[in-house]
Amino acid sequence: MKTTKYYLAAITAYTIWGFFSLVLKPIHDYASLDILFYRVFSCSILMLLITFTFKRKKIKETIETFKALSKAEKKKTLLLNFGGSFFLMANWFTFIYVMNHVSVKATSLAYLVCPILTTLLAYFLLHEKLSKTQWISVGLSISGCLLLSYSDIMDMFFSIIIGLTYASYLVSQRVNKGFDKFMILTFHITFAAIVLLPFYPAYSGPFPSEFKFYFCIETIAVLFTIFPLFLNLYALSGINSSTVGMLLNINPMIAFALANFVYKENISGLQITAYGIIFIAVIVFNSHHIFAMRQKWIPISKNS
């Protein structure tokens, strides 16, 4: 039960991301790079304002903690944070491009592929242990993704690119410990903004004038970026990256439902079957925690 709060953090983050298309689709006429620019710049400005207004003490603590590290640990910390920022930028751009110019289903598939890639990266790079039941779950996920890619191989190609960037972010941040999570996220997003800023004059489109654009961007910045990313980093501090990655399947399941019921994209029986298999895989992967919660609550209900 000690890990329940970390599970809830990950579930909340991925449930929110499942509805991302509701604010991204209304601005699909804008270039993917423009959406990326304004998303990152807005997030960076907001987080810096919060940091310098309410977290000045944390800034000092973070600097002192970094100074106290050995030379090797400093190098590792810098690599993890600069790398994390790069993976986020790559993930955001490819996601926005595929969402607005390929299909919602392709982005949905990406976050079905991501848990598999995360689990494999965590196993080989971080040596996270998996039970036989969890390996069965990974096998079920792979079979579901193969079914989904059967009808459109290009969707799978784009999905692997998106999924690999976020899987790399999750695995890298699992070992990025010892610092305040909000400070880490502020660094990732601010560094991304600094990297993108020189490209803005040359690659941005006409200056947006619609209120709708700025409303969607600010909603994306706060509700679909800062808040869920913070929850994601918090979850990684308490449970394995493979577990966090597998819970990521919640995101595409919601996106799949939106693609069907809201955007009226063609959904086949094969796709419904595949998503059903992947849903079962999520339950199987986390069955140990589900049963632990059940055993915890049963005595309580009996005593009451």
Side-chain angles (χ1 to χ4, degrees), residues 41-51 182 218 221-222 226:
F41 296 156
S42 293
C43 287
S44 179
I45 292 169
L46 285 170
M47 296 194 76
L48 286 173
L49 284 173
I50 293 170
T51 299
F182 191 87
E218 293 309 314
V222 177
I226 296 172

Side-chain angles (χ1 to χ4, degrees), residues 20 22-28 30-46 92 96 100 200 207-227:
F20 193 17
L22 294 178
V23 289
L24 194 54
K25 273 294 186 181
I27 53 175
H28 73 278
Y30 291 87
S32 301
L33 260 179
D34 280 341
I35 297 172
L36 178 64
F37 283 142
Y38 287 97
R39 178 190 189 182
V40 174
F41 296 156
S42 293
C43 287
S44 179
I45 292 169
L46 285 170
W92 289 346
I96 291 168
N100 284 349
Y200 176 77
F207 194 75
S209 58
E210 285 187 297
F211 171 78
K212 177 180 72 173
F213 177 80
Y214 292 103
F215 176 79
C216 288
I217 287 295
E218 293 309 314
T219 303
I220 289 170
V222 177
L223 186 60
F224 291 92
T225 304
I226 296 172
F227 183 57

Side-chain angles (χ1 to χ4, degrees), residues 88-267:
L88 270 187
M89 280 189 289
N91 178 259
W92 289 346
F93 175 73
T94 52
F95 180 89
I96 291 168
Y97 176 83
V98 174
M99 172 75 77
N100 284 349
H101 301 288
V102 180
S103 73
V104 176
K105 285 185 295 183
T107 58
S108 176
L109 178 58
Y111 288 110
L112 293 173
V113 174
C114 183
I116 300 168
L117 296 174
T118 303
T119 302
L120 294 177
L121 287 176
Y123 179 78
F124 289 109
L125 298 180
L126 305 183
H127 308 293
E128 291 185 0
K129 302 298 181 183
L130 296 176
S131 66
K132 289 182 180 179
T133 304
Q134 289 174 321
W135 277 117
I136 291 171
S137 171
V138 173
L140 287 171
S141 293
I142 292 173
S143 64
C145 289
L146 289 175
L147 282 175
L148 287 171
S149 65
Y150 177 77
S151 59
D152 196 332
I153 194 65
M154 286 308 296
D155 274 8
M156 176 58 80
F157 172 76
F158 284 113
S159 299
I160 289 174
I161 294 173
I162 298 172
L164 184 59
T165 55
Y166 199 69
S168 300
Y169 178 74
L170 287 178
V171 171
S172 67
Q173 297 315 297
R174 171 60 178 163
V175 293
N176 190 12
K177 297 179 179 179
F179 297 92
D180 179 77
K181 297 304 178 186
F182 191 87
M183 298 301 295
I184 288 174
L185 187 56
T186 301
F187 178 88
H188 291 168
I189 294 177
T190 301
F191 179 70
I194 292 170
V195 171
L196 291 173
L197 189 58
F199 297 97
Y200 176 77
Y203 294 99
S204 63
F207 194 75
S209 58
E210 285 187 297
F211 171 78
K212 177 180 72 173
F213 177 80
Y214 292 103
F215 176 79
C216 288
I217 287 295
E218 293 309 314
T219 303
I220 289 170
V222 177
L223 186 60
F224 291 92
T225 304
I226 296 172
F227 183 57
L229 274 177
F230 177 77
L231 290 175
N232 203 176
L233 289 177
Y234 177 74
L236 284 168
S237 68
I239 52 179
N240 288 341
S241 49
S242 55
T243 302
V244 174
M246 190 57 70
L247 289 170
L248 183 58
N249 280 309
I250 295 169
N251 174 349
M253 288 177 195
I254 295 172
F256 177 77
L258 291 177
N260 185 18
F261 298 111
V262 177
Y263 303 112
K264 307 300 181 184
E265 293 185 7
N266 293 325
I267 306 295

